[in-house]
Amino acid sequence: MYTSRIAGMGKFVPENVVTNDDLSKVMDTNDAWIQERTGIQERRHIKKGDGNSTATMGVKAAEIALERAKISKDDIDMIVFATLSPDYYFPGCGVQVQEMMGIHTCPALDVRNQCSGFIYGLSVADQFIKTGMYKNVLVIGSENHSGGLDFSTRGRGVTVIFGDGAGAAVLTRSENEGQGILSTHLHSEGKHALELSLKGPSTMHWVPQLIEENPQEDIPYYPYMNGQFVFKNAVRRFSEVIMEGLQKNNLEVGDIDMLVPHQANLRISQFIQKKFQLTDDKVYNNIQKYGNTTAASIPIALCEAWEEGKVKEGDTVVLAAFGSGFTWGSAIIKW
Ligand code: UT7
């Protein structure tokens, strides 16, 4: 019986730092509001001409992950790429990574599960490794939000939250039962699909039609979020899916060494921390520096927690995410 373990992690964020004060120069917002409601102090945005894109950032994170895993790109059996902001409508970023990294003609799968994308990707990779089909799978989460946000006051409820960046993990086969990914838990509830969505351009909403049908003040080619509704669902689903994972493995909240929640809003993480009575050293947050990087947020946070020595061999690590779809999920890992 095989299991999979994370052999190496990498992260990459663009150099360009955008502070709350920077945003308040282009829209009616302020540092106090953003910090109080979200915890965010700054985020990274791709700068025109800096060479970064969703795929290239994914490659940079993946190269670091491979180096740390001491696994050659020639030994990668599959690429799983999670993003809501691909470079092209089609094809997906997975094939771009395969080409850019000079990986042989392996399967490349794109995952479209937004904030839960990395956990969905991890779960897919884990299943392929557990069945014995593949030995090493590269899982990437990467986002270029800044290119598609509304920087006028109209978009402030969404735009201040999101940031750009990428994280990657190399999953490898392990024969040590009880080590690595113990279980993953995935869910969706499509009835709330449009509560956090980008309607177009899409096959149902091509640009000419969007412009014709919508008055200037309601432009659906920017992301829409029903913030409070999403917030309420997030705290509920985060709690449920963490408990589901713990119960599946006969673990208790007290067994968690590190919880890495999707970095949606610091208040959501704090709510979960309080509910589960976890001490500060058992919950990792970095939304203050990077904002919400959607599919990249968990791998960036997990990578950083590992770099800081906060995730160690033998630790019980819990990952949990919730986002557009709605989709949500968790992963229970013995590091
Ligand atoms: O990652 C995927 C999952 N995403 C999430 O889980 C996000 C969940 N939601 C949230 O994080 C929060 O709902 C937000 C941070 C998006 C918004 O915070 P809120 O406390 O729910 O604020 P609100 O939307 O209820 O807005 C309160 C007020 C409004 O003004 P009025 O109507 O009270 O006069 C907004 O117009 O704040 C105003 N507002 C802002 N003011 C300054 C909204 N955005 C801003 C802004 N700066 N950026």
Side-chain angles (χ1 to χ4, degrees), residues 74-117:
D74 300 331
D75 294 324
I76 290 296
D77 299 312
M78 182 188 201
I79 300 163
V80 182
F81 199 113
T83 187
L84 63 68
S85 51
D87 287 5
Y88 306 118
Y89 194 96
F90 71 85
C93 289
V95 297
Q96 288 178 270
V97 167
Q98 179 265 327
E99 168 62 13
M100 287 173 185
M101 293 183 70
I103 296 173
H104 57 97
T105 60
C106 70
L109 174 73
D110 277 56
V111 166
R112 292 288 310 272
N113 291 86
Q114 298 67 251
C115 301
S116 316

CSV table of all heavy atoms in Angstrom, one decimal, residues 74-117:
chain,number,residue,atom,x,y,z
A,74,ASP,N,12.9,15.2,-14.8
A,74,ASP,CA,12.7,14.1,-15.7
A,74,ASP,C,11.9,12.9,-14.9
A,74,ASP,O,11.4,12.0,-15.6
A,74,ASP,CB,14.1,13.5,-16.1
A,74,ASP,CG,14.9,14.6,-16.9
A,74,ASP,OD1,14.2,15.4,-17.5
A,74,ASP,OD2,16.1,14.5,-16.8
A,75,ASP,N,11.8,13.1,-13.6
A,75,ASP,CA,11.1,12.0,-12.9
A,75,ASP,C,9.7,12.4,-12.5
A,75,ASP,O,9.0,11.7,-11.8
A,75,ASP,CB,11.9,11.7,-11.6
A,75,ASP,CG,13.2,11.0,-11.9
A,75,ASP,OD1,13.3,10.2,-12.9
A,75,ASP,OD2,14.2,11.3,-11.2
A,76,ILE,N,9.3,13.6,-13.0
A,76,ILE,CA,7.9,14.0,-12.8
A,76,ILE,C,6.9,13.2,-13.7
A,76,ILE,O,7.2,13.1,-14.9
A,76,ILE,CB,7.7,15.5,-13.0
A,76,ILE,CG1,8.4,16.3,-12.0
A,76,ILE,CG2,6.2,15.9,-13.1
A,76,ILE,CD1,7.9,16.1,-10.6
A,77,ASP,N,5.9,12.6,-13.1
A,77,ASP,CA,5.0,11.7,-13.9
A,77,ASP,C,3.7,12.5,-14.3
A,77,ASP,O,3.0,12.0,-15.2
A,77,ASP,CB,4.6,10.5,-13.0
A,77,ASP,CG,5.8,9.7,-12.6
A,77,ASP,OD1,6.6,9.4,-13.5
A,77,ASP,OD2,5.9,9.3,-11.4
A,78,MET,N,3.5,13.6,-13.6
A,78,MET,CA,2.2,14.3,-13.9
A,78,MET,C,2.3,15.7,-13.3
A,78,MET,O,2.9,15.9,-12.3
A,78,MET,CB,1.0,13.6,-13.2
A,78,MET,CG,-0.3,14.2,-13.5
A,78,MET,SD,-1.6,13.4,-12.5
A,78,MET,CE,-3.0,13.9,-13.4
A,79,ILE,N,1.6,16.6,-14.0
A,79,ILE,CA,1.5,18.0,-13.5
A,79,ILE,C,0.0,18.3,-13.2
A,79,ILE,O,-0.8,18.1,-14.1
A,79,ILE,CB,2.0,19.0,-14.5
A,79,ILE,CG1,3.5,18.8,-14.9
A,79,ILE,CG2,1.8,20.5,-14.1
A,79,ILE,CD1,3.9,19.4,-16.2
A,80,VAL,N,-0.2,18.9,-12.0
A,80,VAL,CA,-1.6,19.3,-11.7
A,80,VAL,C,-1.5,20.8,-11.4
A,80,VAL,O,-0.7,21.2,-10.6
A,80,VAL,CB,-2.2,18.6,-10.5
A,80,VAL,CG1,-3.6,19.1,-10.3
A,80,VAL,CG2,-2.2,17.1,-10.7
A,81,PHE,N,-2.3,21.6,-12.2
A,81,PHE,CA,-2.1,23.1,-12.0
A,81,PHE,C,-3.5,23.7,-11.6
A,81,PHE,O,-4.5,23.6,-12.4
A,81,PHE,CB,-1.7,23.7,-13.4
A,81,PHE,CG,-1.1,25.1,-13.3
A,81,PHE,CD1,0.3,25.3,-13.5
A,81,PHE,CD2,-1.9,26.1,-12.9
A,81,PHE,CE1,0.8,26.6,-13.4
A,81,PHE,CE2,-1.3,27.4,-12.8
A,81,PHE,CZ,0.0,27.6,-13.0
A,82,ALA,N,-3.5,24.3,-10.5
A,82,ALA,CA,-4.8,24.9,-10.0
A,82,ALA,C,-4.7,26.5,-10.2
A,82,ALA,O,-3.8,27.1,-9.7
A,82,ALA,CB,-5.0,24.6,-8.5
A,83,THR,N,-5.7,27.0,-10.8
A,83,THR,CA,-5.8,28.5,-11.0
A,83,THR,C,-7.2,28.9,-11.4
A,83,THR,O,-7.9,28.1,-12.0
A,83,THR,CB,-4.8,29.0,-12.0
A,83,THR,OG1,-4.8,30.4,-12.0
A,83,THR,CG2,-5.1,28.5,-13.4
A,84,LEU,N,-7.6,30.1,-11.1
A,84,LEU,CA,-8.8,30.7,-11.7
A,84,LEU,C,-8.4,31.8,-12.7
A,84,LEU,O,-9.3,32.4,-13.3
A,84,LEU,CB,-9.7,31.2,-10.6
A,84,LEU,CG,-9.4,32.4,-9.7
A,84,LEU,CD1,-9.2,33.7,-10.3
A,84,LEU,CD2,-10.4,32.5,-8.6
A,85,SER,N,-7.1,32.0,-12.8
A,85,SER,CA,-6.6,33.1,-13.7
A,85,SER,C,-5.6,32.6,-14.6
A,85,SER,O,-4.4,33.0,-14.6
A,85,SER,CB,-6.1,34.2,-12.8
A,85,SER,OG,-5.1,33.7,-11.9
A,86,PRO,N,-5.9,31.6,-15.5
A,86,PRO,CA,-4.9,31.1,-16.4
A,86,PRO,C,-4.5,32.1,-17.4
A,86,PRO,O,-5.2,33.1,-17.7
A,86,PRO,CB,-5.7,30.0,-17.1
A,86,PRO,CG,-7.2,30.4,-17.1
A,86,PRO,CD,-7.3,31.1,-15.8
A,87,ASP,N,-3.3,31.9,-18.0
A,87,ASP,CA,-2.7,32.8,-19.0
A,87,ASP,C,-3.7,32.9,-20.2
A,87,ASP,O,-3.8,33.9,-20.8
A,87,ASP,CB,-1.4,32.3,-19.5
A,87,ASP,CG,-0.3,32.5,-18.4
A,87,ASP,OD1,-0.6,33.0,-17.3
A,87,ASP,OD2,0.9,32.3,-18.7
A,88,TYR,N,-4.2,31.8,-20.6
A,88,TYR,CA,-5.1,31.7,-21.8
A,88,TYR,C,-6.4,31.1,-21.4
A,88,TYR,O,-6.5,30.3,-20.4
A,88,TYR,CB,-4.5,30.8,-22.9
A,88,TYR,CG,-3.1,31.3,-23.3
A,88,TYR,CD1,-2.1,30.4,-23.1
A,88,TYR,CD2,-2.9,32.5,-23.8
A,88,TYR,CE1,-0.8,30.8,-23.5
A,88,TYR,CE2,-1.6,32.9,-24.2
A,88,TYR,CZ,-0.6,32.0,-24.0
A,88,TYR,OH,0.7,32.4,-24.3
A,89,TYR,N,-7.5,31.5,-22.1
A,89,TYR,CA,-8.8,30.8,-21.9
A,89,TYR,C,-8.6,29.3,-22.1
A,89,TYR,O,-9.0,28.5,-21.3
A,89,TYR,CB,-9.8,31.4,-22.9
A,89,TYR,CG,-11.2,31.0,-22.6
A,89,TYR,CD1,-12.0,31.9,-21.9
A,89,TYR,CD2,-11.8,29.8,-23.0
A,89,TYR,CE1,-13.3,31.6,-21.6
A,89,TYR,CE2,-13.1,29.5,-22.7
A,89,TYR,CZ,-13.9,30.4,-22.0
A,89,TYR,OH,-15.2,30.1,-21.8
A,90,PHE,N,-7.9,28.9,-23.2
A,90,PHE,CA,-7.4,27.6,-23.4
A,90,PHE,C,-6.2,27.7,-24.2
A,90,PHE,O,-6.0,28.6,-25.0
A,90,PHE,CB,-8.5,26.6,-24.0
A,90,PHE,CG,-8.8,26.9,-25.4
A,90,PHE,CD1,-8.0,26.4,-26.5
A,90,PHE,CD2,-9.9,27.7,-25.8
A,90,PHE,CE1,-8.3,26.6,-27.8
A,90,PHE,CE2,-10.2,27.9,-27.1
A,90,PHE,CZ,-9.4,27.4,-28.1
A,91,PRO,N,-5.2,26.8,-24.1
A,91,PRO,CA,-5.1,25.7,-23.2
A,91,PRO,C,-4.8,26.1,-21.8
A,91,PRO,O,-4.5,27.3,-21.6
A,91,PRO,CB,-4.0,24.8,-23.8
A,91,PRO,CG,-3.1,25.8,-24.4
A,91,PRO,CD,-4.0,26.9,-25.0
A,92,GLY,N,-4.8,25.2,-20.8
A,92,GLY,CA,-4.5,25.5,-19.4
A,92,GLY,C,-3.0,25.7,-19.2
A,92,GLY,O,-2.2,25.5,-20.0
A,93,CYS,N,-2.7,26.1,-17.9
A,93,CYS,CA,-1.3,26.4,-17.6
A,93,CYS,C,-0.5,25.2,-17.4
A,93,CYS,O,0.7,25.2,-17.5
A,93,CYS,CB,-1.3,27.2,-16.3
A,93,CYS,SG,-1.9,28.9,-16.4
A,94,GLY,N,-1.1,24.0,-17.2
A,94,GLY,CA,-0.4,22.8,-17.0
A,94,GLY,C,0.5,22.5,-18.1
A,94,GLY,O,1.7,22.1,-18.0
A,95,VAL,N,0.0,22.6,-19.3
A,95,VAL,CA,0.8,22.3,-20.5
A,95,VAL,C,1.9,23.3,-20.7
A,95,VAL,O,3.0,23.0,-21.2
A,95,VAL,CB,0.0,22.2,-21.8
A,95,VAL,CG1,-1.0,21.0,-21.7
A,95,VAL,CG2,-0.7,23.4,-22.2
A,96,GLN,N,1.6,24.6,-20.3
A,96,GLN,CA,2.7,25.6,-20.4
A,96,GLN,C,3.9,25.3,-19.5
A,96,GLN,O,5.0,25.4,-19.9
A,96,GLN,CB,2.1,27.0,-20.0
A,96,GLN,CG,1.2,27.6,-21.0
A,96,GLN,CD,0.7,28.9,-20.5
A,96,GLN,OE1,-0.4,29.0,-19.8
A,96,GLN,NE2,1.4,30.0,-20.8
A,97,VAL,N,3.5,24.8,-18.3
A,97,VAL,CA,4.6,24.4,-17.3
A,97,VAL,C,5.4,23.3,-17.9
A,97,VAL,O,6.6,23.3,-17.8
A,97,VAL,CB,3.9,24.0,-16.0
A,97,VAL,CG1,4.9,23.3,-15.1
A,97,VAL,CG2,3.4,25.3,-15.3
A,98,GLN,N,4.7,22.3,-18.5
A,98,GLN,CA,5.4,21.1,-19.0
A,98,GLN,C,6.4,21.6,-20.1
A,98,GLN,O,7.6,21.2,-20.1
A,98,GLN,CB,4.4,20.2,-19.7
A,98,GLN,CG,4.9,18.9,-20.3
A,98,GLN,CD,5.2,19.1,-21.8
A,98,GLN,OE1,4.4,19.8,-22.5
A,98,GLN,NE2,6.2,18.5,-22.3
A,99,GLU,N,6.0,22.5,-20.9
A,99,GLU,CA,6.9,23.0,-22.0
A,99,GLU,C,8.0,23.9,-21.4
A,99,GLU,O,9.2,23.8,-21.7
A,99,GLU,CB,6.1,23.8,-23.0
A,99,GLU,CG,6.9,24.7,-24.0
A,99,GLU,CD,7.8,23.8,-24.9
A,99,GLU,OE1,7.6,22.6,-24.9
A,99,GLU,OE2,8.6,24.4,-25.5
A,100,MET,N,7.6,24.9,-20.5
A,100,MET,CA,8.6,25.8,-20.0
A,100,MET,C,9.7,25.1,-19.1
A,100,MET,O,10.8,25.6,-19.1
A,100,MET,CB,7.9,26.9,-19.1
A,100,MET,CG,7.1,27.9,-19.8
A,100,MET,SD,6.1,28.9,-18.6
A,100,MET,CE,5.2,29.9,-19.7
A,101,MET,N,9.3,24.1,-18.4
A,101,MET,CA,10.3,23.4,-17.6
A,101,MET,C,11.0,22.3,-18.3
A,101,MET,O,11.9,21.6,-17.7
A,101,MET,CB,9.6,22.8,-16.3
A,101,MET,CG,9.1,23.9,-15.4
A,101,MET,SD,8.3,23.3,-13.9
A,101,MET,CE,9.8,22.6,-13.0
A,102,GLY,N,10.6,22.0,-19.6
A,102,GLY,CA,11.3,21.0,-20.3
A,102,GLY,C,11.0,19.6,-19.8
A,102,GLY,O,11.9,18.7,-19.8
A,103,ILE,N,9.8,19.4,-19.2
A,103,ILE,CA,9.4,18.1,-18.7
A,103,ILE,C,8.9,17.3,-19.9
A,103,ILE,O,8.3,17.8,-20.9
A,103,ILE,CB,8.3,18.3,-17.6
A,103,ILE,CG1,8.9,19.0,-16.4
A,103,ILE,CG2,7.8,16.9,-17.2
A,103,ILE,CD1,7.9,19.4,-15.4
A,104,HIS,N,9.2,16.0,-19.9
A,104,HIS,CA,8.8,15.1,-21.0
A,104,HIS,C,7.3,15.1,-21.2
A,104,HIS,O,6.6,15.7,-20.4
A,104,HIS,CB,9.3,13.7,-20.7
A,104,HIS,CG,8.8,13.2,-19.4
A,104,HIS,ND1,7.7,12.4,-19.3
A,104,HIS,CD2,9.2,13.4,-18.1
A,104,HIS,CE1,7.4,12.1,-18.0
A,104,HIS,NE2,8.4,12.8,-17.3
A,105,THR,N,6.8,14.4,-22.1
A,105,THR,CA,5.3,14.5,-22.4
A,105,THR,C,4.5,13.8,-21.4
A,105,THR,O,3.9,12.7,-21.7
A,105,THR,CB,5.0,14.0,-23.9
A,105,THR,OG1,5.5,12.6,-23.8
A,105,THR,CG2,5.8,14.7,-24.9
A,106,CYS,N,4.3,14.4,-20.3
A,106,CYS,CA,3.5,13.7,-19.2
A,106,CYS,C,2.1,14.3,-19.2
A,106,CYS,O,1.8,15.3,-19.9
A,106,CYS,CB,4.2,14.0,-17.9
A,106,CYS,SG,4.1,15.8,-17.4
A,107,PRO,N,1.2,13.7,-18.4
A,107,PRO,CA,-0.1,14.3,-18.3
A,107,PRO,C,-0.1,15.6,-17.6
A,107,PRO,O,0.7,15.8,-16.6
A,107,PRO,CB,-0.9,13.2,-17.5
A,107,PRO,CG,0.0,12.3,-17.0
A,107,PRO,CD,1.3,12.4,-17.8
A,108,ALA,N,-0.9,16.6,-18.1
A,108,ALA,CA,-0.9,17.9,-17.4
A,108,ALA,C,-2.4,18.2,-17.2
A,108,ALA,O,-3.2,18.3,-18.2
A,108,ALA,CB,-0.3,18.9,-18.2
A,109,LEU,N,-2.8,18.4,-16.0
A,109,LEU,CA,-4.2,18.5,-15.7
A,109,LEU,C,-4.5,19.9,-15.0
A,109,LEU,O,-3.8,20.2,-14.1
A,109,LEU,CB,-4.7,17.4,-14.7
A,109,LEU,CG,-6.1,17.5,-14.1
A,109,LEU,CD1,-7.1,17.2,-15.2
A,109,LEU,CD2,-6.2,16.6,-12.9
A,110,ASP,N,-5.4,20.7,-15.5
A,110,ASP,CA,-5.8,21.9,-14.9
A,110,ASP,C,-7.0,21.8,-14.0
A,110,ASP,O,-8.0,21.2,-14.4
A,110,ASP,CB,-6.0,23.0,-16.0
A,110,ASP,CG,-4.7,23.6,-16.4
A,110,ASP,OD1,-3.8,22.9,-16.9
A,110,ASP,OD2,-4.6,24.9,-16.3
A,111,VAL,N,-6.9,22.3,-12.8
A,111,VAL,CA,-8.0,22.2,-11.8
A,111,VAL,C,-8.6,23.6,-11.7
A,111,VAL,O,-7.9,24.6,-11.6
A,111,VAL,CB,-7.4,21.8,-10.5
A,111,VAL,CG1,-8.3,21.9,-9.3
A,111,VAL,CG2,-6.9,20.3,-10.6
A,112,ARG,N,-10.0,23.6,-11.7
A,112,ARG,CA,-10.7,24.9,-11.7
A,112,ARG,C,-11.6,24.9,-10.4
A,112,ARG,O,-12.8,24.9,-10.5
A,112,ARG,CB,-11.6,25.0,-12.9
A,112,ARG,CG,-10.8,25.2,-14.3
A,112,ARG,CD,-10.2,26.5,-14.4
A,112,ARG,NE,-11.2,27.6,-14.1
A,112,ARG,CZ,-12.0,28.1,-15.0
A,112,ARG,NH1,-11.9,27.7,-16.2
A,112,ARG,NH2,-12.9,29.1,-14.6
A,113,ASN,N,-10.9,25.0,-9.3
A,113,ASN,CA,-11.7,25.0,-8.0
A,113,ASN,C,-11.3,26.2,-7.1
A,113,ASN,O,-11.4,26.1,-5.9
A,113,ASN,CB,-11.6,23.7,-7.3
A,113,ASN,CG,-12.3,22.6,-8.1
A,113,ASN,OD1,-11.7,22.0,-9.0
A,113,ASN,ND2,-13.5,22.4,-7.8
A,114,GLN,N,-10.8,27.2,-7.8
A,114,GLN,CA,-10.6,28.5,-7.1
A,114,GLN,C,-9.9,28.4,-5.8
A,114,GLN,O,-8.8,27.7,-5.8
A,114,GLN,CB,-12.0,29.2,-6.9
A,114,GLN,CG,-12.7,29.5,-8.2
A,114,GLN,CD,-13.1,28.3,-9.0
A,114,GLN,OE1,-12.6,28.0,-10.0
A,114,GLN,NE2,-14.1,27.6,-8.5
A,115,CYS,N,-10.4,28.9,-4.7
A,115,CYS,CA,-9.6,28.9,-3.4
A,115,CYS,C,-9.4,27.5,-2.9
A,115,CYS,O,-8.4,27.3,-2.1
A,115,CYS,CB,-10.4,29.7,-2.4
A,115,CYS,SG,-10.6,31.4,-2.9
A,116,SER,N,-10.2,26.5,-3.3
A,116,SER,CA,-10.0,25.1,-2.9
A,116,SER,C,-9.1,24.4,-3.9
A,116,SER,O,-8.8,23.2,-3.8
A,116,SER,CB,-11.3,24.4,-2.8
A,116,SER,OG,-12.2,25.2,-2.1
A,117,GLY,N,-8.6,25.1,-4.9
A,117,GLY,CA,-7.9,24.4,-6.0
A,117,GLY,C,-6.7,23.6,-5.6
A,117,GLY,O,-6.5,22.5,-6.1
